[in-house]
Amino acid sequence: MVEHAEIRMVRRGGSKINFREPVITNDSRFLLCAAGESVNVYSTSTEEFVHDLQGHTDLVTGVVLNPSNHLQVYSCSADGTVRLWDFMDGILIKVLPQQNSLPNSGKYKLFQLVAVHLPRSGDQEVEARELSAVLCDVSPHPGAVSFGREGEYIAATKGLQLEVFFFKKQKSYRFSLKSGMKKGVKNAFTCVSCHPKEDCIATGHADGKIRLWRNFNQKKEYTYTTLHWHHGAVNTLCFTPEGTNLLSGGIESVLVHWHYTQENQKDFLPRLGAAITHIAVSPDGSLFCTSHSDNKITIIQSCVKVSAIIQGLVKGDGVWTDLIIDPRSKALVLNGKPGHLQFYSLHRDKQLYNLDIVQQEYINEEGLDQFEVVKAAFDARGDWLATVEERRKKGAELEINLKLWAYDKLTQSFVLNTTVTAPHEDRITGMFFSPSPETTMLVTTSLDDHFKAWLLADHSDTKAEGFWSCDFVGGYHLLKPGCCSYSADGSLLAVGFQEVVTVWSPASWELLTTLSQPPGAIRDLCFGRLSCSKYLLGTSTKNQLCCWNLLTCSLEWSTPMDVSLLQADPLSENMAAFCSQSGSSDLFVFKPSEPRPLYSQKALCTGKVQHAVFAPRDQMLESCEERTQWLNRSQLYFITQDMLMVDDSVAVTPFYLLLGKHRRQQLEKTSAQLTPLSRSLPQLLHTPAHVLPSASFLCAMFVRSLLVSRSSQALSGWMGNVTAQLFSGLSRDVRSGSSPGSGCTTQGHSETCPEANPAFSWLCA
C-alpha cells in the first residue's frame, strides 16, 4: 500500500519577536524571546538564529530563566501550560498543565495575578493543581507587574492605582493618583519596576513622568519623587541587577540611563530606530537589550554602543504593495518601516535590508499626513524597481510620485533613476513591468480613466544614463481601469475597465478585442502560463471566476466563487485562488485548462487572505504524485494578521508515516487516551541522539505502532473507493459539448454552468 504525500501549512516566519520582554542568559551568550507559538534562541554576538523551542500549541506569553538552573528556561502560553526547557539542546524537560479552577470575579472577566505551585516530580507531564489568587483585577500587560526586593512583595499597576502585596503579611496597600487631566497632565500608570536591593518602586506614566515610591509598607507615610524627560508615555522601566541605574524607554527611540543615587544625572543612547517597548538586562549587567515597535531587538553593551540588531519582519500599518519577490536575491519585498520597503529572506526568516523610498524624515506625530509607499514592482531580471508613493492632505489634492530605481552592482542595492511627479491625476490602481526581454516598459492604471505606458529611453550610443518617459496613454469609453496583466511573453496586455476586459498589443498599442463576461466589475486579471498561455482568468465583484480563451476570444468557463485573491505560479501552469467564506479562507490550486483541482483546503486560516505569492525553490523537488507536483518548483506563501505562512509538501518516509499517524491520534483523543509512544513522539524528534534511550528499547514500540486493525483497514478501503468515484466524476472534460463563448446564464444551463456540469463542483463547494 502506497501512502500519499501530504501537504501541510506551516509557520515560515514573521512572528513578533517584540511581543514580550526578551531574556539574556547568565553568560550573556544567548538571547531568548517569545515568537508566536515557539521560543527563539539567538546569539548575542553574531545576531544569528540558533534554534527554537517548539511544543506550545498557542501563543507564547512569557519567558523567564530558571533561577535554580542557569541552563533552563520556563515558558508559558495561552494553551494553558508552563513548559521547562533545556534551551542549549532544545530539550523539553517538563510540561505543567494548569486548570483554571479560580472563580471569575464579578460580572465581567477580569485578569488575576495567580500563584502557581510547581510540584517536584520525575514525570515529564505534571499537573499544577495548587493555584491561589494573589491580586484581582490587574492589568493584562506584563510590564505592569514586578517583584520587589528578594521576592518579599509584588507591585501591580492599573489605571490610576498602584497596589503592593506583601507575601508574609498577606496584606496589600493601594495608592491612587488623581486623573490630572488638567494642563495636559496624565497620571495613568503605564509600567512598573522594583529596585532589586532597596524598597523602592519605579512607575512610568502616560505623560512621560517617572515616580520613585518609598515607604509604601504603610498607607499614611508613603512618599514619591518625580523624574521627567520623556515627552510621550513611558513604555518600559528596568533596574540594573545591582540597582545603581534605572533604564527607561518610550516613543522617542531613546534609551534613558538614570543614575539612582543622583537622580538629576542621566545619560542617553539616541536614534535606536523605533519606539522602545521592552528593556531587559543580563544577570551580570554587561548587556542591555531593547525591543522596538518595528519588531526589532537591539543588543547594547553597557548602555554605551549598539553591538547587534535582530530584525524580524516589520509589520506596519498595512501591506499596500502586496507581496513580491526580488528576482535577484529571491527575497520577499513588502512595506516595512514608514516610507520604506523591506527585503526579507524567507529561508533565513531575517530581514536583509531596508530601502528608503520616500527619502524624507518620518515625523512621529498623530494625525500628520506623510508619504507612504503603496505600489511596487520589479522587472523580470531585477534590474529595475518601480514604486508609487502617495499622500493625501486634509482638504487638498492627492499627491502621487512614481519613482524608477536602477540596480547598482557596486552597492548591491537600488539607486533612484527617475522621479515622475503626478504621473496620473488620481490614485494608481495597478502597475506591471513587461516581461518581454526586447523592451523595458512599465504600465500603470489609474482611476483617472487612463492607463499609461512608460518606456526606458536607450542612450547606449552616447554612453548617457537612460531615463523614463511616457510613451502611450490609453483608455476605453471613459471607464476607470482597475487592474492590468501582461501575458507571459509580453505580447498582450489585458486591462480591466470596470465590467469590460480589453486586450491590447504593446507593440502597436492597438486594441485587439474586448471580452464578454457575467455582470460585475473586474477586480483581478491573470494570464495563464506555459501550456495554458491561451487562457486569461479574472475575478469580478459579483463573485464570479471567469476563464477566457484568447484563441476564440470567448468565455471558456465561469463559476460563482468569492475569490479574494488570484495568484499565478511563474514557473508552472498552476494558479491559486483564495476564497472567503464564513469568516475563513479556502484555497484551491488548479490549472485553467482542467476543471479538477490539484489541491484544495477548506478553512485554511481565519479571516481573509489578501496577499500571497509563489516563491521559487532553491532546489526542485522530485515528487511524482499529481496532487503535490504543484509544489515541486515553488512554494506558496501568504500573510495573515499574525504571521507569514507557507504551504509545503512533506517528505514521506516510514518515520514520518509513524509520526503523522500519532499526531492525528493526538488531535482526536484526549490526553488520557494517549499511548506512551504518542506522548513521547514530539520529544523523540527534538531530543539529541546522545540522550535518547537505546534503539532496542524503541524498536518494540515502533513495531507495535505499525500494527493496523481490520476495522481501520476496511475504513481505509471504503474511503479509497469513495475518493476514486469522486475524482472520476470530476475528471470529465468541461468543454465537451459546449460552444465557444457560452457562459453561465440564468435562463438555461450550459456546459460552463456549475449546476449543469459537476466538474465545477469543487469551485462552488
Side-chain angles (χ1 to χ4, degrees):
M1 179 178 177
V2 179
E3 288 282 350
H4 292 284
E6 291 193 11
I7 298 175
R8 62 178 179 176
M9 181 183 68
V10 298
R11 179 197 304 270
R12 188 61 181 181
S15 298
K16 290 185 177 181
I17 61 175
N18 64 345
F19 179 63
R20 288 292 184 258
E21 177 183 319
V23 171
I24 303 177
T25 58
N26 284 13
D27 56 7
S28 300
R29 292 176 53 199
F30 302 102
L31 181 140
L32 296 84
C33 66
E37 298 176 359
S38 62
V39 178
N40 285 1
V41 181
Y42 296 93
S43 170
T44 56
S45 57
T46 65
E47 311 173 7
E48 291 299 318
F49 171 81
V50 179
H51 58 255
D52 56 358
L53 310 178
Q54 296 185 2
H56 286 293
T57 59
D58 207 337
L59 189 68
V60 176
T61 55
V63 181
V64 64
L65 290 173
N66 185 358
S68 59
N69 190 326
H70 67 280
L71 297 178
Q72 297 177 358
V73 65
Y74 284 101
S75 64
C76 60
S77 167
D79 62 9
T81 65
V82 175
R83 295 174 183 257
L84 179 63
W85 308 85
D86 181 335
F87 63 83
M88 294 292 293
D89 293 328
I91 302 174
L92 177 62
I93 300 174
K94 187 172 295 187
V95 181
L96 299 115
Q98 300 177 25
Q99 288 187 346
N100 187 16
S101 59
L102 294 175
N104 191 20
S105 300
K107 181 179 179 181
Y108 304 100
K109 293 183 178 180
L110 303 176
F111 283 90
Q112 299 177 333
L113 189 63
V114 180
V116 181
H117 176 70
L118 303 180
R120 294 184 178 181
S121 173
D123 297 335
Q124 187 179 55
E125 185 169 332
V126 182
E127 186 174 348
R129 296 179 178 273
E130 298 184 24
L131 305 178
S132 59
V134 178
L135 294 175
C136 298
D137 192 16
V138 298
S139 171
H141 179 47
V145 178
S146 177
F147 276 97
R149 175 175 56 88
E150 298 180 356
E152 293 184 359
Y153 54 88
I154 191 168
T157 61
K158 183 179 181 182
L160 295 169
Q161 183 172 278
L162 166 66
E163 185 171 3
V164 184
F165 179 82
F166 291 86
F167 291 97
K168 290 184 179 180
K169 298 180 182 179
Q170 289 292 299
K171 186 176 181 180
S172 64
Y173 296 93
R174 293 182 177 89
F175 308 95
S176 300
L177 296 175
K178 297 180 180 180
S179 60
M181 294 303 293
K182 297 180 180 179
K183 299 181 180 180
V185 178
K186 299 179 181 178
N187 286 331
F189 291 90
T190 56
C191 54
V192 62
S193 180
C194 296
H195 196 284
K197 304 293 184 181
E198 300 180 7
D199 289 334
C200 177
I201 300 175
T203 58
H205 299 266
D207 57 1
K209 293 180 181 178
I210 299 174
R211 288 182 170 89
L212 299 178
W213 301 74
R214 296 180 176 87
N215 298 326
F216 45 78
N217 57 350
Q218 47 190 334
K219 184 69 175 177
K220 296 182 179 180
E221 299 182 6
Y222 75 93
T223 61
Y224 65 78
T225 57
T226 303
L227 311 175
H228 197 186
W229 178 86
H230 298 276
H231 74 83
V234 181
N235 290 338
T236 179
L237 291 169
C238 182
F239 278 100
T240 56
E242 296 298 324
T244 56
N245 298 284
L246 174 66
L247 308 175
S248 64
I251 199 173
E252 306 85 3
S253 307
V254 177
L255 179 63
V256 185
H257 193 185
W258 304 85
H259 297 266
Y260 179 67
T261 56
Q262 298 172 326
E263 297 175 354
N264 293 327
Q265 293 188 9
K266 49 189 175 294
D267 300 320
F268 305 96
L269 185 61
R271 295 182 293 276
L272 293 179
I276 299 175
T277 56
H278 304 286
I279 299 175
V281 185
S282 63
D284 59 2
S286 62
L287 286 182
F288 303 160
C289 74
T290 54
S291 299
H292 298 265
S293 58
D294 61 348
N295 204 25
K296 175 181 65 180
I297 297 178
T298 302
I299 300 175
I300 304 164
Q301 291 183 351
S302 300
C303 203
V304 176
K305 65 176 182 177
V306 175
S307 62
I309 295 177
I310 302 171
Q311 179 67 69
L313 184 68
V314 180
K315 298 180 182 178
D317 296 332
V319 180
W320 297 284
T321 61
D322 291 333
L323 304 182
I324 51 180
I325 299 294
D326 177 15
R328 288 183 176 270
S329 64
K330 310 303 180 185
L332 179 69
V333 181
L334 68 160
N335 292 98
K337 299 194 305 183
H340 291 68
L341 288 179
Q342 60 177 323
F343 288 68
Y344 193 83
S345 173
L346 294 167
H347 301 288
R348 299 169 59 192
D349 190 16
K350 182 180 181 181
Q351 186 186 98
L352 300 180
Y353 66 94
N354 266 309
L355 182 62
D356 188 358
I357 302 298
V358 173
Q359 297 184 335
Q360 292 183 4
E361 187 68 26
Y362 181 78
I363 302 174
N364 199 333
E365 183 176 339
E366 186 177 356
L368 185 64
D369 297 316
Q370 302 181 75
F371 276 104
E372 188 56 80
V373 185
V374 294
K375 297 289 180 183
F378 289 96
D379 72 334
R381 295 183 298 270
D383 295 334
W384 290 95
L385 167 66
T387 60
V388 175
E389 59 193 51
E390 65 179 37
R391 174 177 65 179
R392 184 185 293 275
K393 294 182 179 180
K394 295 180 180 178
E397 294 182 355
L398 178 68
E399 298 181 54
I400 306 176
N401 292 326
L402 171 65
K403 292 182 178 179
L404 285 306
W405 307 75
Y407 183 78
D408 186 3
K409 295 182 179 180
L410 183 62
T411 60
Q412 299 289 298
S413 184
F414 288 90
V415 179
L416 183 61
N417 173 273
T418 303
T419 300
V420 182
T421 303
H424 285 273
E425 297 179 1
D426 206 337
R427 177 170 282 117
I428 294 178
T429 58
M431 180 170 65
F432 285 93
F433 275 98
S434 170
S436 174
E438 300 176 358
T439 180
T440 305
M441 181 185 296
L442 176 73
V443 171
T444 57
T445 60
S446 171
L447 295 178
D448 62 0
D449 304 340
H450 296 94
F451 73 90
K452 293 184 178 182
W454 307 85
L455 199 63
L456 176 65
D458 186 10
H459 293 282
S460 57
D461 53 342
T462 61
K463 296 183 180 180
E465 186 178 12
F467 64 91
W468 291 78
S469 61
C470 183
D471 181 66
F472 177 77
V473 179
Y476 185 80
H477 295 288
L478 299 180
L479 298 178
K480 298 183 183 299
C483 56
C484 64
S485 178
Y486 267 106
S487 61
D489 59 357
S491 62
L492 297 176
L493 174 68
V495 183
F497 287 90
Q498 294 177 212
E499 296 186 355
V500 180
V501 178
T502 60
V503 181
W504 304 73
S505 171
S508 60
W509 291 118
E510 176 187 359
L511 177 60
L512 301 178
T513 186
T514 60
L515 301 176
S516 61
Q517 58 155 97
I522 294 294
R523 59 185 181 187
D524 204 357
L525 286 172
C526 196
F527 274 92
R529 298 178 182 272
L530 301 178
S531 63
C532 297
S533 59
K534 66 179 180 180
Y535 298 107
L536 173 65
L537 281 86
T539 62
S540 72
T541 56
K542 296 294 185 179
N543 298 337
Q544 288 284 333
L545 174 62
C546 305
C547 178
W548 294 274
N549 189 324
L550 297 176
L551 299 181
T552 60
C553 297
S554 59
L555 185 65
E556 185 82 3
W557 54 261
S558 67
T559 184
M561 195 174 184
D562 185 13
V563 179
S564 60
L565 182 63
L566 186 65
Q567 193 73 29
D569 182 5
L571 301 179
S572 70
E573 302 93 343
N574 304 320
M575 288 192 174
F578 291 91
C579 307
S580 301
Q581 185 176 1
S582 302
S584 63
S585 292
D586 304 333
L587 170 63
F588 299 97
V589 179
F590 64 100
K591 295 181 181 180
S593 60
E594 298 182 12
R596 180 169 58 94
L598 300 173
Y599 174 76
S600 62
Q601 176 65 54
K602 292 286 188 177
L604 184 71
C605 64
T606 57
K608 180 183 291 186
V609 175
Q610 296 181 337
H611 306 288
V613 67
F614 278 96
R617 289 185 180 272
D618 291 337
Q619 293 182 351
M620 179 180 172
L621 298 181
E622 296 181 356
S623 173
C624 59
E625 294 198 17
E626 184 179 8
R627 68 186 305 267
T628 59
Q629 285 181 357
W630 67 278
L631 287 168
N632 284 0
R633 296 179 179 270
S634 306
Q635 290 175 295
L636 177 60
Y637 291 84
F638 63 93
I639 196 166
T640 65
Q641 184 177 1
D642 300 320
M643 70 198 78
L644 188 69
M645 306 297 295
V646 56
D647 272 343
D648 203 356
S649 59
V650 181
V652 178
T653 63
F655 188 68
Y656 166 73
L657 295 177
L658 169 64
L659 174 63
K661 172 187 172 183
H662 284 279
R663 280 184 174 172
R664 289 190 294 270
Q665 290 177 350
Q666 286 180 336
L667 294 175
E668 296 171 358
K669 298 181 180 181
T670 62
S671 58
Q673 296 172 320
L674 293 179
T675 64
L677 177 60
S678 60
R679 290 197 190 101
S680 61
L681 278 172
Q683 289 72 39
L684 186 64
L685 281 180
H686 300 289
T687 304
H690 66 277
V691 297
L692 279 174
S694 63
S696 60
F697 177 79
L698 296 174
C699 182
M701 290 192 296
F702 180 81
V703 173
R704 283 196 300 269
S705 66
L706 296 179
L707 298 178
V708 182
S709 65
R710 290 177 178 266
S711 59
S712 60
Q713 286 181 345
L715 178 62
S716 176
W718 177 80
M719 289 297 293
N721 293 334
V722 173
T723 304
Q725 294 175 8
L726 175 62
F727 276 87
S728 64
L730 292 179
S731 60
R732 289 179 293 175
D733 188 356
V734 67
R735 289 164 294 173
S736 60
S738 61
S739 59
S742 60
C744 178
T745 63
T746 57
Q747 304 298 328
H749 295 303
S750 68
E751 286 295 322
T752 59
C753 183
E755 288 82 356
N757 195 335
F760 281 103
S761 61
W762 67 275
L763 292 174
C764 307

